[in-house]
């Protein structure tokens, strides 16, 4: 394989088989495909099964995550649902790292209640404790790193090797939304399944809702493929085409997000209104605690460059309050045990000029001081 930056830019090009010389791949919107004859297929039959545009995106997703099978679906939640529907059944048990996307917890709780697939949480640090939490019916371990929103880092390789040494049948699934394959390729670290909310960095422009599941095993790929054909939460061709386009700039965007986030994190650390900054050192996601002498609401209202909005991973700087947005459904005690207090502010550092972002924080925080 060529290097990642080249693969991202060039990997989906030159695929127009009409000899037009089109550099960029064509977009096929057809849902139906003519059969050459009885029992024959061009490889495409009906778009719930596969379409040329989605297949091209999936090939690219598999390549950049070092997998062999990828599935592009209608949202990150659809990706999570595809994994659980394909790989778990009533009576199974799973373990999830304790600090992750609030919507994932909502989904896990629903699985536990409605389908009797209970789960335990794990702190993401103590691998021996994780091994002790494994039960005979444990089927899957779900990890998100760096964690959301407190930016704890999990050693995927240590977890995968420790778990697989005792239980090769347990699937290690990693939500790789925050770092993307530019910074982390879980399948090369021993994980079995990678999941993305492609709405975030993979899409990168706040205009595509999408998800992805990637594996490097034929049997796992077959299970996912059958499940997806059955339930049909596929990504539509136009969004698949837009995502192909977005991936071309993923490498350069991720490095630019990191460069800006490092500047913003360092700047925030020195501000009197900021108690503590949480940053994994790479990627564009930062969280910080606003000092009690400042109003979170006023800070949000003062922002001019950043926007108070749900979501992350886009070129625009977005600011989220996890306690009232992404993690609102989590019981308060559980939230606070994880450090998710009402003054915790999550920043998805965008690609505006870093100075404009830090100036914006300066004025928004200074103007939020309580009387
Ligand atoms: C947003 C998000 C999801 C859910 O993805 P949607 O595209 O919103 O359905 C899952 N995991 C993480 C880490 C996310 O940030």
């Amino acid at each position: 394989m060529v290097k990642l930056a080249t693969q991202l830019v060039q990997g989906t090009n030159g695929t127009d088989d009409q000899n037009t010389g089109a550099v960029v791949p064509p977009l096929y919107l057809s849902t139906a495909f003519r059969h050459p004859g009885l029992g024959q297929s061009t490889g495409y039959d009906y778009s719930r099964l596969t379409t040329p545009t989605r297949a091209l995106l999936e090939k690219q997703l598999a390549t950049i995550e070092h997998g062999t099978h990828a599935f592009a679906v209608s949202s990150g939640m659809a990706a999570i649902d595809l994994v659980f529907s394909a790989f778990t059944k009533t009576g199974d048990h799973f373990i999830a790292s304790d600090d992750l996307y609030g919507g994932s917890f909502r989904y896990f709780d629903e699985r536990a209640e409605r389908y009797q697939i209970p789960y335990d949480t794990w702190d993401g640090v103590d691998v021996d404790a994780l091994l002790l939490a494994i039960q005979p019916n444990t089927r899957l371990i779900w990890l998100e790193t760096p964690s959301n929103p407190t930016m704890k880092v999990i050693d995927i390789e240590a977890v995968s090797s420790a778990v697989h040494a005792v239980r090769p049948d347990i699937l290690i699934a990693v939500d790789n939304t925050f770092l993307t394959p530019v910074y982390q390729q879980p399948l090369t670290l021993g994980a079995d399944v990678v999941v993305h909310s492609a709405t975030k960095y993979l899409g990168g422009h706040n205009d595509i809702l999408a998800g992805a599941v990637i594996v490097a095993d034929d049997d796992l790929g077959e299970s996912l493929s059958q499940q997806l054909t059955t339930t049909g939460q596929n990504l539509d061709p136009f969004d698949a085409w837009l995502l192909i386009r977005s991936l071309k700039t993923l490498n350069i965007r991720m490095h630019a997000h990191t460069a800006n986030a490092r500047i913003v994190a360092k700047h925030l650390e020195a501000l009197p209104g900021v108690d503590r900054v949480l940053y994994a050192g790479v990627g564009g996601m930062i969280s910080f605690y606003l000092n009690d002498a400042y109003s979170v609401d006023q800070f949000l209202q003062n922002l001019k460059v950043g926007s108070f909005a749900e979501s992350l991973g886009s070129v625009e700087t977005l600011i989220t309050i996890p306690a009232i947005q992404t993690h609102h459904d989590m019981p308060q005690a559980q939230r606070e045990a994880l450090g998710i207090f009402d003054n915790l502010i999550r920043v998805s550092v965008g690609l505006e000029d870093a100075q404009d972002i830090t100036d914006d924080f300066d004025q928004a925080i200074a103007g939020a001081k309580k009387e």
Side-chain angles (χ1 to χ4, degrees):
M1 176 180 147
V2 292
K3 292 199 169 55
L4 181 65
T6 310
Q7 178 66 30
L8 285 165
V9 172
Q10 296 274 1
T12 47
N13 285 353
T15 49
D16 176 15
D17 58 9
Q18 302 300 306
N19 293 321
T20 62
V23 171
V24 165
L27 164 59
Y28 292 91
L29 292 167
S30 191
T31 52
F33 298 84
R34 256 198 323 268
H35 302 298
L38 260 188
Q40 293 178 3
S41 167
T42 60
Y44 300 100
D45 304 306
Y46 181 62
S47 69
R48 177 158 33 78
L49 312 181
T50 180
T51 81
T53 307
R54 201 174 76 235
L56 184 63
L57 168 64
E58 290 172 338
K59 190 159 166 264
Q60 177 74 322
L61 290 169
T63 303
I64 63 177
E65 279 288 10
H66 298 265
T68 51
H69 304 265
F71 302 88
V73 295
S74 56
S75 69
M77 290 318 300
I80 294 169
D81 182 60
L82 177 60
V83 171
F84 276 84
S85 301
F87 300 133
T88 64
K89 58 182 188 329
T90 298
D92 287 346
H93 166 260
F94 68 99
I95 301 168
S97 52
D98 60 5
D99 182 41
L100 45 77
Y101 179 65
S104 302
F105 274 124
R106 184 165 54 222
Y107 181 85
F108 296 162
D109 289 339
E110 207 242 14
R111 284 274 126 171
E113 273 173 40
R114 190 187 289 253
Y115 299 102
Q116 287 79 51
I117 306 174
Y119 71 98
D120 288 301
T121 56
W122 171 59
D123 68 5
V125 180
D126 184 351
V127 177
D128 290 334
L130 174 64
L131 295 179
L132 284 173
I134 290 176
Q135 298 177 18
N137 59 341
T138 302
R139 176 72 185 123
L140 195 135
I141 293 173
W142 189 271
L143 309 175
E144 194 178 311
T145 176
S147 72
N148 181 359
T150 64
M151 310 298 160
K152 289 191 291 188
V153 174
I154 297 172
D155 185 340
I156 297 172
E157 198 162 20
V159 170
S160 302
S161 62
V163 170
H164 285 153
V166 291
R167 287 285 301 277
D169 60 309
I170 293 180
L171 298 176
I172 311 283
V174 178
D175 183 332
N176 205 25
T177 299
F178 271 28
L179 287 190
T180 82
V182 170
Y183 291 124
Q184 175 166 275
Q185 297 118 25
L187 298 177
T188 68
L189 302 172
D192 302 287
V193 183
V194 170
V195 165
H196 280 277
S197 167
T199 314
K200 317 294 168 54
Y201 287 106
L202 298 189
H205 294 73
N206 278 332
D207 56 9
I208 310 168
L209 185 73
V213 180
I214 304 112
V215 294
D217 175 276
D218 287 346
D219 290 339
L220 297 182
E222 186 53 33
S223 300
L224 290 164
S225 172
Q226 279 183 18
Q227 184 64 35
L228 189 55
T229 297
T230 304
T231 51
Q233 67 263 54
N234 311 297
L235 190 61
D236 73 283
F238 185 64
D239 280 349
W241 188 84
L242 271 180
L243 196 47
I244 286 170
R245 196 274 314 264
S246 289
L247 287 176
K248 292 181 181 223
T249 55
L250 180 66
N251 188 65
I252 190 164
R253 280 189 285 110
M254 290 311 293
H255 288 290
H257 280 295
T258 297
N260 269 4
R262 285 181 179 161
I263 292 170
V264 173
K266 197 152 172 252
H267 186 86
L268 286 173
E269 269 164 14
L271 288 186
V274 173
D275 282 346
R276 203 167 138 225
V277 178
L278 309 173
Y279 180 47
V282 69
M285 299 303 299
I286 292 175
S287 295
F288 70 92
Y289 295 96
L290 192 68
N291 185 277
D292 279 349
Y294 296 78
S295 153
V296 172
D297 188 27
Q298 193 58 53
F299 159 75
L300 295 171
Q301 291 184 36
N302 291 348
L303 289 166
K304 293 193 172 72
V305 175
S307 298
F308 171 40
E310 211 120 351
S311 201
L312 63 102
S314 167
V315 293
E316 294 92 0
T317 294
L318 296 187
I319 287 109
T320 310
I321 309 300
I324 63 148
Q325 290 176 291
T326 52
H327 290 66
H328 185 71
D329 286 351
M330 189 182 273
Q332 187 176 355
Q334 188 186 349
R335 255 193 341 246
E336 299 198 346
L338 292 168
I340 306 172
F341 295 95
D342 291 352
N343 66 334
L344 179 67
I345 295 171
R346 193 188 74 181
V347 185
S348 172
V349 179
L351 301 187
E352 303 91 347
D353 187 279
Q355 175 92 48
D356 287 333
I357 303 172
T358 54
D359 285 355
D360 193 33
F361 278 111
D362 286 351
Q363 66 83 20
I365 293 174
K369 188 135 201 230
K370 295 174 191 163
E371 292 312 321

